Amino acid sequence: MAEEDYEDPFFFNTSDDSGQEHQAFLNFRKIFLPCTYVVVFLCGLVGNSLVLIIYAFYQKLKSPTDMFLINLPLADLLFVCTLPFWAYAGFHEWVFGNILCKLLLSIYTLNFYTSMLSLTCITVDRFMAVVKATKAYTQQTKRMTCGKATCLAVWAIALLVSLPQIIYAKVSHTDKGYCGADEERLSTVVLATQMTLGFFVPLLTMIICYSVIIKTLCQARGFHRHKSLKIIFLVVAMFLLTQTPFNLVKLIGSTSWEYSTMVSFHYAITVTESIAYLRACLNPVLYAFVGLKFRRNFCKLLKDIGCPYLRVSSQWKSSEDTSRTSASQNAEATSMFQL
């Protein structure tokens, strides 16, 4: 391994090639990834902390969906707090020991599966609210209790699925120390099992449920129907667009050691990794632009901390009033503007 080569948490081992193309890539990665880490850390820390503050002090949890939505900024906040370690190691080397290596290396996997499973739970809850609207309404208390238990189960399952990253992570030393997974022991079978249970099965569940939801919403009338459709597509599409490329590239790379000798493959890993990490700071932006209730509570927060009160525009109020009065019961039950 070249002296300048640093192994970041999700990077496949590079070859000993000392050619100009390989060296150019090492120089690119040494600057690009740490800078990405710093940007995502700063934006994600502020944005997700703000979301959690608003949920904790200003927004009541009225449905299981609200509880599942808290998992997203909570998991993202946990993840972004690991990025300063990777940024430092990217510029220098890994100096934080083996225990932190195992812990921090597993947190991205934990974040990914917690978010994926939470979105799946939101999908199932919205499916019940639309397709089984009467039953969902009469069993609201039971649904809230089940929602709390499900939130705990989501974290437990995500932690279980992340165990291989905890077990096989280690600190290695060449010219510099680096933290990474033991790729020989973290086999394609392990990664394929993780992707199947934590990605493809939830994805299939979301596709089926949202197909039925959209069919039901299209039979409703009024503004609220269109708003719900936009939010449904936005929430799921943003997650899939940012996370799918990186995880598929990792899975493909584990099928053959020859990929570790291809510089173009390492560029693909680096770029898709940065895209995957951006989700941690995009979620708060999504809440702010889509969530009518979130914007109103944000204004209350600004007022309480002494900032000039930013009054909610009449357009927002009008939109919210319209959504409340013009939607059918099924369309209203599918509202996700609590984001």
Side-chain angles (χ1 to χ4, degrees), residues 92-109:
H92 302 286
E93 65 175 324
W94 186 263
V95 297
F96 306 108
N98 196 59
I99 294 179
L100 270 182
C101 173
K102 290 179 176 292
L103 177 63
L104 301 184
L105 188 60
S106 65
I107 286 180
Y108 169 77
T109 308

mmCIF file of all heavy atoms in Angstrom, residues 92-109:
data_model
loop_
_atom_site.group_PDB
_atom_site.id
_atom_site.type_symbol
_atom_site.label_atom_id
_atom_site.label_comp_id
_atom_site.label_asym_id
_atom_site.label_seq_id
_atom_site.Cartn_x
_atom_site.Cartn_y
_atom_site.Cartn_z
ATOM 1 N N HIS A 92 -4.855 12.577 8.195
ATOM 2 C CA HIS A 92 -3.676 12.067 8.888
ATOM 3 C C HIS A 92 -3.702 10.534 8.884
ATOM 4 O O HIS A 92 -3.349 9.918 7.900
ATOM 5 C CB HIS A 92 -3.631 12.631 10.310
ATOM 6 C CG HIS A 92 -3.615 14.127 10.348
ATOM 7 N ND1 HIS A 92 -2.490 14.859 10.016
ATOM 8 C CD2 HIS A 92 -4.581 15.029 10.666
ATOM 9 C CE1 HIS A 92 -2.755 16.147 10.130
ATOM 10 N NE2 HIS A 92 -4.017 16.286 10.518
ATOM 11 N N GLU A 93 -4.102 9.935 9.988
ATOM 12 C CA GLU A 93 -4.238 8.494 10.083
ATOM 13 C C GLU A 93 -5.157 8.160 11.250
ATOM 14 O O GLU A 93 -5.545 9.043 12.020
ATOM 15 C CB GLU A 93 -2.878 7.821 10.286
ATOM 16 C CG GLU A 93 -2.208 8.180 11.599
ATOM 17 C CD GLU A 93 -0.914 7.407 11.823
ATOM 18 O OE1 GLU A 93 -0.862 6.226 11.429
ATOM 19 O OE2 GLU A 93 0.028 7.982 12.375
ATOM 20 N N TRP A 94 -5.519 6.876 11.378
ATOM 21 C CA TRP A 94 -6.407 6.472 12.460
ATOM 22 C C TRP A 94 -5.614 6.355 13.753
ATOM 23 O O TRP A 94 -4.697 5.543 13.869
ATOM 24 C CB TRP A 94 -7.078 5.136 12.136
ATOM 25 C CG TRP A 94 -8.114 4.778 13.164
ATOM 26 C CD1 TRP A 94 -7.947 3.944 14.234
ATOM 27 C CD2 TRP A 94 -9.456 5.271 13.231
ATOM 28 N NE1 TRP A 94 -9.118 3.883 14.971
ATOM 29 C CE2 TRP A 94 -10.060 4.690 14.376
ATOM 30 C CE3 TRP A 94 -10.201 6.138 12.440
ATOM 31 C CZ2 TRP A 94 -11.371 4.943 14.733
ATOM 32 C CZ3 TRP A 94 -11.511 6.385 12.800
ATOM 33 C CH2 TRP A 94 -12.090 5.801 13.930
ATOM 34 N N VAL A 95 -5.992 7.168 14.751
ATOM 35 C CA VAL A 95 -5.267 7.184 16.024
ATOM 36 C C VAL A 95 -6.207 6.946 17.203
ATOM 37 O O VAL A 95 -5.808 7.144 18.352
ATOM 38 C CB VAL A 95 -4.543 8.540 16.218
ATOM 39 C CG1 VAL A 95 -3.493 8.738 15.145
ATOM 40 C CG2 VAL A 95 -5.547 9.704 16.218
ATOM 41 N N PHE A 96 -7.433 6.497 16.930
ATOM 42 C CA PHE A 96 -8.465 6.449 17.966
ATOM 43 C C PHE A 96 -8.676 5.058 18.564
ATOM 44 O O PHE A 96 -9.595 4.862 19.364
ATOM 45 C CB PHE A 96 -9.790 6.977 17.411
ATOM 46 C CG PHE A 96 -9.672 8.349 16.808
ATOM 47 C CD1 PHE A 96 -9.747 8.525 15.437
ATOM 48 C CD2 PHE A 96 -9.457 9.452 17.614
ATOM 49 C CE1 PHE A 96 -9.627 9.785 14.877
ATOM 50 C CE2 PHE A 96 -9.336 10.721 17.065
ATOM 51 C CZ PHE A 96 -9.418 10.886 15.691
ATOM 52 N N GLY A 97 -7.868 4.092 18.170
ATOM 53 C CA GLY A 97 -7.946 2.779 18.790
ATOM 54 C C GLY A 97 -8.939 1.833 18.145
ATOM 55 O O GLY A 97 -9.754 2.224 17.296
ATOM 56 N N ASN A 98 -8.890 0.579 18.573
ATOM 57 C CA ASN A 98 -9.677 -0.476 17.954
ATOM 58 C C ASN A 98 -11.152 -0.421 18.351
ATOM 59 O O ASN A 98 -12.042 -0.692 17.544
ATOM 60 C CB ASN A 98 -9.103 -1.843 18.329
ATOM 61 C CG ASN A 98 -9.616 -2.950 17.432
ATOM 62 O OD1 ASN A 98 -9.432 -2.902 16.222
ATOM 63 N ND2 ASN A 98 -10.256 -3.935 18.017
ATOM 64 N N ILE A 99 -11.435 -0.056 19.618
ATOM 65 C CA ILE A 99 -12.826 -0.019 20.082
ATOM 66 C C ILE A 99 -13.622 1.052 19.334
ATOM 67 O O ILE A 99 -14.730 0.798 18.847
ATOM 68 C CB ILE A 99 -12.884 0.225 21.603
ATOM 69 C CG1 ILE A 99 -12.283 -0.967 22.355
ATOM 70 C CG2 ILE A 99 -14.333 0.440 22.053
ATOM 71 C CD1 ILE A 99 -12.266 -0.802 23.858
ATOM 72 N N LEU A 100 -13.050 2.252 19.234
ATOM 73 C CA LEU A 100 -13.731 3.312 18.484
ATOM 74 C C LEU A 100 -13.839 2.953 17.014
ATOM 75 O O LEU A 100 -14.817 3.326 16.349
ATOM 76 C CB LEU A 100 -12.995 4.635 18.656
ATOM 77 C CG LEU A 100 -13.435 5.515 19.822
ATOM 78 C CD1 LEU A 100 -12.634 6.817 19.831
ATOM 79 C CD2 LEU A 100 -14.920 5.813 19.767
ATOM 80 N N CYS A 101 -12.871 2.238 16.500
ATOM 81 C CA CYS A 101 -12.937 1.793 15.100
ATOM 82 C C CYS A 101 -14.169 0.933 14.881
ATOM 83 O O CYS A 101 -14.941 1.153 13.948
ATOM 84 C CB CYS A 101 -11.673 1.027 14.740
ATOM 85 S SG CYS A 101 -11.720 0.237 13.099
ATOM 86 N N LYS A 102 -14.380 -0.053 15.738
ATOM 87 C CA LYS A 102 -15.540 -0.931 15.616
ATOM 88 C C LYS A 102 -16.842 -0.155 15.794
ATOM 89 O O LYS A 102 -17.816 -0.351 15.052
ATOM 90 C CB LYS A 102 -15.450 -2.053 16.664
ATOM 91 C CG LYS A 102 -14.365 -3.084 16.412
ATOM 92 C CD LYS A 102 -14.349 -4.124 17.503
ATOM 93 C CE LYS A 102 -13.340 -5.230 17.222
ATOM 94 N NZ LYS A 102 -13.743 -6.068 16.061
ATOM 95 N N LEU A 103 -16.860 0.733 16.793
ATOM 96 C CA LEU A 103 -18.078 1.485 17.092
ATOM 97 C C LEU A 103 -18.449 2.421 15.956
ATOM 98 O O LEU A 103 -19.587 2.410 15.456
ATOM 99 C CB LEU A 103 -17.890 2.268 18.393
ATOM 100 C CG LEU A 103 -19.060 3.173 18.812
ATOM 101 C CD1 LEU A 103 -20.299 2.337 19.093
ATOM 102 C CD2 LEU A 103 -18.683 4.007 20.031
ATOM 103 N N LEU A 104 -17.493 3.239 15.524
ATOM 104 C CA LEU A 104 -17.787 4.253 14.511
ATOM 105 C C LEU A 104 -18.031 3.639 13.143
ATOM 106 O O LEU A 104 -18.840 4.147 12.365
ATOM 107 C CB LEU A 104 -16.650 5.270 14.442
ATOM 108 C CG LEU A 104 -16.351 6.030 15.738
ATOM 109 C CD1 LEU A 104 -15.274 7.082 15.511
ATOM 110 C CD2 LEU A 104 -17.611 6.680 16.288
ATOM 111 N N LEU A 105 -17.334 2.541 12.858
ATOM 112 C CA LEU A 105 -17.525 1.899 11.564
ATOM 113 C C LEU A 105 -18.925 1.315 11.422
ATOM 114 O O LEU A 105 -19.492 1.270 10.337
ATOM 115 C CB LEU A 105 -16.488 0.790 11.366
ATOM 116 C CG LEU A 105 -16.422 0.144 9.987
ATOM 117 C CD1 LEU A 105 -16.087 1.171 8.922
ATOM 118 C CD2 LEU A 105 -15.397 -0.974 9.982
ATOM 119 N N SER A 106 -19.498 0.880 12.539
ATOM 120 C CA SER A 106 -20.826 0.262 12.497
ATOM 121 C C SER A 106 -21.958 1.283 12.484
ATOM 122 O O SER A 106 -23.095 0.933 12.146
ATOM 123 C CB SER A 106 -21.007 -0.663 13.705
ATOM 124 O OG SER A 106 -20.994 0.082 14.910
ATOM 125 N N ILE A 107 -21.666 2.538 12.838
ATOM 126 C CA ILE A 107 -22.745 3.517 12.990
ATOM 127 C C ILE A 107 -23.374 3.882 11.652
ATOM 128 O O ILE A 107 -24.584 4.113 11.579
ATOM 129 C CB ILE A 107 -22.240 4.764 13.749
ATOM 130 C CG1 ILE A 107 -22.083 4.422 15.232
ATOM 131 C CG2 ILE A 107 -23.189 5.946 13.583
ATOM 132 C CD1 ILE A 107 -21.599 5.571 16.090
ATOM 133 N N TYR A 108 -22.586 3.932 10.562
ATOM 134 C CA TYR A 108 -23.212 4.203 9.266
ATOM 135 C C TYR A 108 -24.208 3.099 8.921
ATOM 136 O O TYR A 108 -25.329 3.369 8.484
ATOM 137 C CB TYR A 108 -22.185 4.320 8.136
ATOM 138 C CG TYR A 108 -22.859 4.327 6.780
ATOM 139 C CD1 TYR A 108 -23.494 5.478 6.311
ATOM 140 C CD2 TYR A 108 -22.934 3.173 6.002
ATOM 141 C CE1 TYR A 108 -24.156 5.483 5.101
ATOM 142 C CE2 TYR A 108 -23.598 3.160 4.794
ATOM 143 C CZ TYR A 108 -24.206 4.323 4.341
ATOM 144 O OH TYR A 108 -24.873 4.315 3.142
ATOM 145 N N THR A 109 -23.800 1.833 9.134
ATOM 146 C CA THR A 109 -24.705 0.716 8.859
ATOM 147 C C THR A 109 -25.946 0.801 9.734
ATOM 148 O O THR A 109 -27.071 0.575 9.271
ATOM 149 C CB THR A 109 -23.981 -0.619 9.102
ATOM 150 O OG1 THR A 109 -22.746 -0.631 8.386
ATOM 151 C CG2 THR A 109 -24.826 -1.789 8.633
#
